[in-house]
Amino acid sequence: MNNTLIDRNELRDKIHEYLREKDLKTRIKSALSSKENKIRQKISCSKLAAEEDSLLKILHQQRIVDELVSHLVFSDIAKKAETTHEDFKELQQNEKTDTVDSSFLKDQNVYKVEIRIKQGRAFVECLLEPPPIIGQPLPTLTIHGHFQGQRSKSTPVPAVCEPEFFCTLSFDLHAKTQGLIASDVRASSLSEIDSPVHLVLVRTEPNGENKLMSSCFLEWRKVLTSPNGCLSIHTELKGIGVENKVPIGILDMELCVNPTPKSLITECVLNTQLSLEKTQYDEKQILFLTYSKLWWQEYLEIRPEHSLRLVKIFTQDENAVALPVVCYVKPLRVGRLIESPQEALWFVSLFHQQKCPVVGKVGITSQEQWNNLFAFLVVQGGGSEDHAVFLCSLLLGFGLNAYVCIGTVGKEVPYAWVITFGRTDNITFWDVASATRYKHCSAQKDCSKTMKPKHPFKTVGCIFNHQSFFANCQPTDSIERCCFDLNDPSKWKSMSTDAIALISTTIPSWPTMLASTIDVSKASLDLEEQLKVLITEHRADKGLTTYWDENLCFILSSALSTCEIQGRSGVPAYHEDFQDAVHPLVPEGHTFKALPVHFCHRNAWKVFKETLRSALGEEIICCHGDKVRMAVRAHVYAYPENILSVWIMFSTKYKCII
C-alpha cells in the first residue's frame, strides 16, 4: 500500500490550525489543570504518563475530542496523497477491521442492575419440619426475579433455617442515553424507570411439587443515591394470601448498578419522585374505585338479586392487594413457542390446578387468590382463574375476540373459563381443566338435542378482558338461557372503556416465556427404565417373573404420539396404524391389554402408584398366565416453561390358562 496515503506532518498542521481557530488549547488546559494538579500531588512525574487514559477520558466528557475529530476531513488528505483506487479500498477494509464491534457499542448504552442475594435468615417454617431421612433429598428454595420482561433465578438451595443463596440476579436497564456512553448518563435518567423488581420465593418438594412461599416488589432505585453504586439492604419476606402479614424470613442483599451512574441523585429527590409516582397511582385507583361503586349501584338498581351473582370487579393477588380483574388480562404473544390457539389451550391445561392453602375451615370467598402471571409461571400452577386469564391473554395474542367468564359449575361452585366470539355469531367455550372446546347453543335458538352442549358450566355472572367488562343483567344467569349479545345493554351492562383504559396504564410489564431446556429423549428413557424396575420388583413381591417384549415396547410409541397430537391439535385420534402394527405381535389364542395414562410430571413412583389404583392398571401390572410378556413405553413432551406432557402406556400379552 502507498505509504504517502496520510502524511503525518500535514495532519499535525491541520490539527494545530483548528486549535488556533477555535481556541481549543485554552479549553483543554482548563479541563486538565485541576486533574493534573491532583495527579502531580499523588505521584511523581515519571509516572505521569500512566494517567493518560484518565486525562483522555476528561477530554471525551468535555466533548473536545469528538469536536476535533469531526472537523478533520481525511478525504482531502487522501486526495493530496494521490492514492490509487486499490489502495483506498484496502484502507477501507483495514478501517472496518479496526473498528469496535457494534455489540460492544450497544452495551455502552446499557446499565445493569444487580441484586446480589447473600443469605437468608429466620426461615422458621423450616424448623417445624421433621428431620430428613438419610439419603432422602431435601426440599429446595429458589428465588425467581422479573424486571421489564427479563427473568433470572437463583440456583436451588436446601430449605433450611438459614439458606445460603449467594447468587446474583442481573437485569438490563435501557436508559434514554441519546447516544452517550453509559458512563455519561446521569442517575436522574435511570430514576425514570419506574418498574420494580418482582421477587418470588418458591419451595420445591422432592417429588417435584412447587409451593409459592413469598412474593414481593423491590424498589431498586434506592441504589441511585449511593456514591459507590452499591447499597446493602435487608428485605423481610411475607407470606402468601391470608398470611401476607406474617414474616417468613429475611434476605440479606446488595443492590448494585453497573457502571456507576454519573451525577447521583440525593435521597430527598428520590423520595419526592417516589411519593409523586405513588400519588399518581393512588389517584387512578381512587378514580376507578369511585366509578366502580357508582356503576355497581346502578347494576343493583336493575334487580336486587343481582347482588347474588358472580360479578367480580376486584380481586386479591398473592400479596392480598386488591386489583381490578381487567388488570390480569393482556394480549400475550409468545413467538414460535406456541403455534396455535388449540395448542395454547393444551399448554395451559398442563399447569397444575392448585388452591390457596388454608389453615382450618373457612369460607370459599375469604380464600380467593389470583396470582400475578410471573408467580403463576414459576410455580407452574394456580386456580381456575389463573388458568383462564392466562389462556385468554394467549388467545388475544392470536387475534381472537376472547373474554374471561366468571360463573359456576356443578352445584354452584365458582369457576372461570374463556369464551370467544367468531365472525358468524359462533360462540365457543374453552375449558382449561379438560382442555376441551364447546360450541355454545342457547336455548333461545332452534337447537336439536344432539347439538345441545354438554359443557359443565351452569351460570355466568360477568365476562371481561383487558378492554371491556360486562355484567349479566338478564332475568336469569343460567347459561342455557343466556344471550351473549354484548351490544345489547338490556342483557349486558358494560363498564366505561375510558375507566378501564385509565386503570390499565398501571399494569407493569409482563414476563417473557422461556423455551424448554429439557432433553425429552433422555427424560423419556430414564422414566421408562425406572418404571420397568418398579414393575419387576412389584411382580417379584407377588411371586411373578417378568419378561419384557422390547419389540412391543417400541410399537407402543405410535399410540402415545397419536394421543399427544390429539390433545395439541384437538383433532380426533387415528389409531388404525397402531392396531395394524400390534396385531401380528399377538399370536392366536393370546390376549392383549394396554392402558395409556397421562401425567404432567415424570415422577416414576407417583406414576406407578396412580396406575395401580385403576382396576385395568393393576390387572396389567400383576398379570399372570402362560407366556406372559410385559411392555411399557414412556414419552415426555416438553413445552415452554419446562411444562411437561407425559404419556405412558402399560401393556401385556399372555395366553389365558383355564
Side-chain angles (χ1 to χ4, degrees), residues 224-245:
L224 298 178
T225 64
S226 179
N228 60 354
C230 290
L231 181 67
S232 296
I233 60 174
H234 308 285
T235 300
E236 186 178 62
L237 300 179
K238 299 297 182 64
I240 296 300
V242 295
E243 301 177 7
N244 67 91
K245 302 298 182 182

Side-chain angles (χ1 to χ4, degrees), residues 581-646:
V582 168
H583 185 266
L585 300 179
V586 182
E588 187 175 353
H590 285 62
T591 301
F592 172 78
K593 293 182 179 181
L595 172 66
V597 291
H598 182 253
F599 297 92
C600 299
H601 60 81
R602 45 179 173 162
N603 187 310
W605 177 249
K606 290 177 63 176
V607 169
F608 181 71
K609 296 296 289 184
E610 287 292 330
T611 305
L612 280 179
R613 288 193 180 99
S614 69
L616 181 57
E618 183 181 11
E619 185 178 343
I620 292 175
I621 293 176
C622 302
C623 176
H624 59 276
D626 187 20
K627 298 181 180 181
V628 176
R629 295 294 182 268
M630 304 294 297
V632 64
R633 191 67 169 180
H635 267 266
V636 176
Y637 299 90
Y639 289 87
E641 301 294 328
N642 286 338
I643 295 296
L644 300 179
S645 174
V646 180

Side-chain angles (χ1 to χ4, degrees), residues 354 369-372 376 381-391:
Q354 298 177 347
Q369 174 181 311
W370 292 24
N371 294 326
N372 284 291
F376 175 74
S384 65
E385 298 86 0
D386 299 325
H387 289 77
V389 296
F390 184 34
L391 175 60

Side-chain angles (χ1 to χ4, degrees), residues 14-41:
K14 196 173 184 69
I15 294 175
H16 283 296
E17 179 183 355
Y18 184 71
L19 292 177
R20 287 193 300 269
E21 292 177 358
K22 299 297 182 181
D23 196 21
L24 287 182
K25 288 185 178 181
T26 303
R27 293 172 56 189
I28 294 174
K29 288 181 179 180
S30 175
L32 299 182
S33 59
S34 58
K35 179 66 177 180
E36 189 173 346
N37 290 334
K38 293 180 181 179
I39 295 174
R40 291 183 183 276
Q41 293 175 4

Side-chain angles (χ1 to χ4, degrees), residues 514-626:
L514 301 180
S516 173
T517 59
I518 296 176
D519 185 344
V520 293
S521 297
K522 184 178 183 302
S524 301
L525 181 60
D526 292 344
L527 177 58
E528 194 172 299
E529 293 300 325
Q530 294 176 38
L531 290 174
K532 285 184 177 181
V533 172
L534 292 174
I535 293 174
T536 301
E537 292 177 350
H538 185 77
R539 288 176 59 83
D541 293 340
K542 293 183 173 295
L544 301 173
T545 57
T546 304
Y547 299 96
W548 296 99
D549 188 334
E550 297 299 335
N551 190 22
L552 181 57
C553 289
F554 180 78
I555 295 300
L556 298 179
S557 296
S558 62
L560 299 181
S561 176
T562 302
C563 292
E564 180 65 19
I565 292 174
Q566 179 179 357
R568 184 185 304 177
S569 64
V571 179
Y574 181 76
H575 293 284
E576 291 188 9
D577 292 340
F578 170 68
Q579 296 171 357
D580 293 341
V582 168
H583 185 266
L585 300 179
V586 182
E588 187 175 353
H590 285 62
T591 301
F592 172 78
K593 293 182 179 181
L595 172 66
V597 291
H598 182 253
F599 297 92
C600 299
H601 60 81
R602 45 179 173 162
N603 187 310
W605 177 249
K606 290 177 63 176
V607 169
F608 181 71
K609 296 296 289 184
E610 287 292 330
T611 305
L612 280 179
R613 288 193 180 99
S614 69
L616 181 57
E618 183 181 11
E619 185 178 343
I620 292 175
I621 293 176
C622 302
C623 176
H624 59 276
D626 187 20

Side-chain angles (χ1 to χ4, degrees), residues 190-370:
L190 296 178
S191 66
E192 297 176 359
I193 305 176
D194 58 354
S195 298
V197 177
H198 190 184
L199 297 180
V200 173
L201 177 65
V202 177
R203 174 189 171 104
T204 304
E205 302 295 339
N207 60 6
E209 294 181 357
N210 294 323
K211 178 183 178 183
L212 181 61
M213 300 292 294
S214 181
S215 173
C216 69
F217 291 89
L218 182 66
E219 182 51 71
W220 62 273
R221 286 177 288 179
K222 296 178 181 178
V223 72
L224 298 178
T225 64
S226 179
N228 60 354
C230 290
L231 181 67
S232 296
I233 60 174
H234 308 285
T235 300
E236 186 178 62
L237 300 179
K238 299 297 182 64
I240 296 300
V242 295
E243 301 177 7
N244 67 91
K245 302 298 182 182
V246 181
I248 65 168
I250 300 174
L251 286 182
D252 296 332
M253 300 186 295
E254 187 177 53
L255 294 177
C256 296
V257 172
N258 291 318
T260 304
K262 180 182 178 182
S263 180
L264 299 175
I265 61 177
T266 64
E267 186 174 352
C268 179
V269 172
L270 179 61
N271 290 337
T272 302
Q273 180 176 342
L274 296 179
S275 177
L276 179 61
E277 291 175 357
K278 185 178 185 303
T279 301
Q280 294 175 346
Y281 175 81
D282 291 342
E283 288 178 353
K284 293 180 180 180
Q285 296 288 334
I286 293 174
L287 286 174
F288 185 79
L289 177 60
T290 303
Y291 168 76
S292 299
K293 289 182 177 180
L294 295 175
W295 182 92
W296 176 251
Q297 188 63 34
E298 293 175 355
Y299 180 66
L300 294 182
E301 290 176 356
I302 299 175
R303 290 185 187 86
E305 56 268 24
H306 283 176
S307 60
L308 302 177
R309 296 186 179 181
L310 287 177
V311 179
K312 192 171 298 299
I313 304 175
F314 292 89
T315 188
Q316 292 186 344
D317 66 1
E318 68 269 17
N319 293 317
V321 176
L323 293 172
V325 293
V326 294
C327 293
Y328 287 86
V329 181
K330 179 181 179 181
L332 184 61
R333 294 186 176 182
V334 293
R336 299 181 183 274
L337 298 180
I338 302 294
E339 298 182 349
S340 68
Q342 174 61 34
E343 186 175 343
L345 173 62
W346 178 247
F347 166 63
V348 178
S349 72
L350 299 175
F351 283 77
H352 299 286
Q353 292 282 346
Q354 298 177 347
K355 293 184 178 180
C356 179
V358 297
V359 179
K361 185 177 181 180
V362 294
I364 296 177
T365 56
S366 62
Q367 290 302 309
E368 181 179 291
Q369 174 181 311
W370 292 24

